[in-house]
Amino acid sequence: MSQGDPALLDRRLASGWQVVSNGEHSTLRRPDGLSCEAGYIPADSGDLFAVFHDPAEAAVLGVVVCPPLLAEAVRNQRRELILAWELSAAGIAAVRFHYAGSGHSQGDPTTLSFAGLVDDAVAAAETLRTRTGVSQVAFVGTRLGALVAAGAAARFEGAPMVLWEPPLNLRRYFTEVFRARVIGMFKRGEAAPQSQKSLLEEMERNGSVDIAGNPLGQALYRSTIDLNLDQLLTAAGPRRVLIVQMSVKPELRAPLAALVAARTGDGQTVEAVVVPHDEAWWFGATGRTIVETSSDSLEAIPLTVEFIGAGRGAAAGTGST
């Protein structure tokens, strides 16, 4: 495991760390030379909030971390934070960001679309390259953010990607999303929980529907409901891909095993691993939103760092296509 060691990171937060701010950016510096800088980057959709994690020495490889959407973003943010520190500890630059209209970024959340999410990830990648001078970029994405990572990586020749728990069936994914709304209504004691059909009708009327405190816009729903990860990977072309399944059962789910076989058969280097963990992505999003640290699947982090680090220097360039 890298020198950052996720099991120890949280305990070192107050040990000699320094915060420097110039009014535009805030930088956190660690005694071991690692640092992170928070600020805003320009994008077509508006200024995006981003945090850049820098290694102690100049990096040749940078990683864009594409977060999931809605309540899943809250559940995954600690893993993303530790991942970014671990990448920088391994000499790899990283950037975490919020999509337009989410988190601290500018924009209207009800107008989010898949194309816009991909553009935001590309903007983060381009800023990372300009800021650090890295010659290669890679992408890590979780859940719906995994599909964003695949779409953005396609614009960078040979850019590797790591996909955490990507949904292979978006209709089933949104069924889970709408179920979270219904369960939330039960928890609040509301007398008439809504069905998925009635929620879709509400979205049609209002342009969005609230899901556990997060607006799900019609544009996002319509632009992602028919997405297919296999097609996105095919369009991305030759590159290294690692898919991480988080589950109690050690076997790959049948649809994921079929996807890996199909992509490998077409000449891509696609690997899949199972991390022993069962993430209830929407359980708790309808009530308490605090994520217990013991429930985080940290085993995925060193696997990701190792996979990305193994390809460092393998390709001379990753220019936009």
Side-chain angles (χ1 to χ4, degrees):
M1 190 175 292
S2 63
Q3 66 185 32
D5 192 352
L8 301 177
L9 257 172
D10 290 341
R11 303 174 189 173
R12 300 204 308 248
L13 292 180
S15 179
W17 293 42
Q18 296 180 334
V19 178
V20 179
S21 177
N22 63 5
E24 230 175 277
H25 302 281
S26 295
T27 303
L28 182 64
R29 297 195 177 115
R30 286 171 35 170
D32 57 5
L34 306 184
S35 64
C36 72
E37 180 181 278
Y40 287 85
I41 62 175
D44 291 342
S45 54
D47 288 346
L48 305 178
F49 177 76
V51 181
F52 294 90
H53 289 257
D54 298 311
E57 305 292 339
V60 297
L61 175 61
V63 174
V64 180
V65 181
C66 301
L69 277 294
L70 306 173
E72 293 183 342
V74 176
R75 295 200 67 86
N76 205 54
Q77 62 185 1
R78 180 174 179 269
R79 274 190 291 258
E80 293 173 351
L81 171 63
I82 297 176
L83 170 64
W85 279 122
E86 288 299 297
L87 286 166
S88 62
I92 302 168
V95 58
R96 298 181 291 121
F97 71 100
H98 296 165
Y99 303 113
S102 70
H104 302 306
S105 292
Q106 295 179 349
D108 182 354
T110 64
T111 62
L112 283 173
S113 69
F114 184 71
L117 300 178
V118 171
D119 287 344
D120 289 348
V122 170
E126 294 289 9
T127 304
L128 179 65
R129 291 206 307 182
T130 301
R131 182 181 180 278
T132 62
V134 296
S135 58
Q136 303 175 34
V137 290
F139 291 82
V140 176
T142 304
R143 298 289 281 164
L144 193 51
L147 278 66
V148 175
R155 302 193 194 178
F156 297 83
E157 184 179 354
M161 63 181 90
V162 180
L163 312 178
W164 289 359
E165 274 290 289
L168 302 186
N169 184 319
L170 271 296
R171 294 185 181 276
R172 180 178 298 173
Y173 170 84
F174 279 110
T175 295
E176 295 176 7
V177 170
F178 290 125
R179 185 180 295 128
R181 165 69 182 266
V182 173
I183 293 174
M185 296 179 73
F186 269 121
K187 285 187 174 182
R188 292 190 297 271
E190 298 182 16
Q194 293 173 280
S195 65
Q196 179 171 336
K197 179 181 178 182
S198 62
L199 289 173
L200 286 172
E201 291 171 349
E202 179 183 336
M203 182 190 295
E204 185 74 26
R205 289 193 306 271
N206 302 329
S208 67
V209 63
D210 180 84
I211 305 291
N214 299 273
L216 170 60
Q218 188 177 66
L220 179 62
Y221 177 79
R222 286 183 172 178
S223 63
T224 56
I225 189 66
D226 292 319
L227 282 178
N228 183 294
L229 180 59
D230 183 73
Q231 292 176 352
L232 288 171
L233 292 180
T234 300
R239 65 195 61 236
R240 299 168 58 245
V241 182
L242 174 66
I243 302 177
V244 179
Q245 172 183 303
M246 300 176 186
S247 65
V248 174
K249 294 183 178 180
E251 301 85 11
L252 283 180
R253 302 182 190 106
L256 179 54
L259 182 148
V260 172
R263 290 300 94 238
T264 302
D266 281 350
Q268 283 186 325
T269 304
V270 181
E271 303 174 36
V273 295
V274 180
V275 168
H277 180 74
D278 190 14
E279 180 68 71
W281 290 100
W282 284 95
F283 182 80
T286 55
R288 294 178 56 190
T289 57
I290 298 174
V291 179
E292 298 292 340
T293 57
S294 61
S295 71
D296 284 355
S297 179
L298 298 180
E299 294 89 342
I301 294 172
L303 290 172
T304 299
V305 175
E306 180 181 1
F307 179 84
I308 292 175
R312 181 165 30 193
T318 51
S320 299
T321 58

